[in-house]
Amino acid sequence: MLGGQVAERPAPARSPAPFMVVGKVNGRDEAARAASPAEALSRMLEWLAADRDASAVWYLREDWPEPFTVIGRAVRGRVPESRRCAHLFPLEPGAVLRGAMTARCGARLTLPEIEWLAPGAGMPCEYCLAKAGVCRNPRPLLEGGHR
Ligand SMILES: [Zn+2]
């Protein structure tokens, strides 16, 4: 008998590499995993350096269980310092991304213009936050007289 250890699988551990980069480099199909958008970008730049005609896209793996939000802001010097707030970029599993990304608030940045941040870092974009509905513990209404 094969032992009494019933393989009760816990939820699969999250792979540290939720992103995929795929492309065509020197006529060959390439695919690579990436742990972060920054890693995906550097991989794509590598391919483009190797082949001027290379094409590449990246995406959140289609088998990722849920949408994934990455946080980034414009790199220094791109916009006035006061506007370098941290935008939320929601990614849907399997949705293909190219060179630019649109934040929840509608701000559009190209990949090389984005400085990626860890959650909680930077001054959050209030428009992104408002649209994300991430405020689980809403402040009491400060304006208006209802309750
Ligand atoms: Zn924003």
Side-chain angles (χ1 to χ4, degrees), residues 87-88 103 105 107 125 127-128:
H87 297 289
L88 304 179
C105 69
C125 167
Y127 302 104
C128 278

Side-chain angles (χ1 to χ4, degrees), residues 16-107:
F19 302 104
M20 286 298 299
V21 190
V22 297
K24 204 159 198 105
V25 188
N26 293 319
R28 289 221 322 267
D29 290 324
E30 297 279 357
R33 292 192 169 191
S36 66
E39 196 181 321
L41 172 65
S42 69
R43 176 72 62 164
M44 288 192 289
L45 291 176
E46 222 171 81
W47 289 349
L48 289 168
D51 173 8
R52 279 178 49 208
D53 298 322
S55 61
V57 298
W58 63 293
Y59 54 88
L60 178 62
R61 280 167 34 193
E62 57 271 78
D63 59 354
W64 200 253
E66 58 200 11
F68 192 98
T69 298
V70 291
I71 302 167
R73 65 181 171 190
V75 293
R76 195 174 290 276
R78 167 89 168 67
V79 297
E81 202 60 22
S82 62
R83 286 180 46 209
R84 290 181 70 224
C85 53
H87 297 289
L88 304 179
F89 295 87
L91 305 179
E92 293 290 330
V96 168
L97 298 153
R98 292 167 200 277
M101 296 182 69
T102 304
R104 216 179 270 274
C105 69

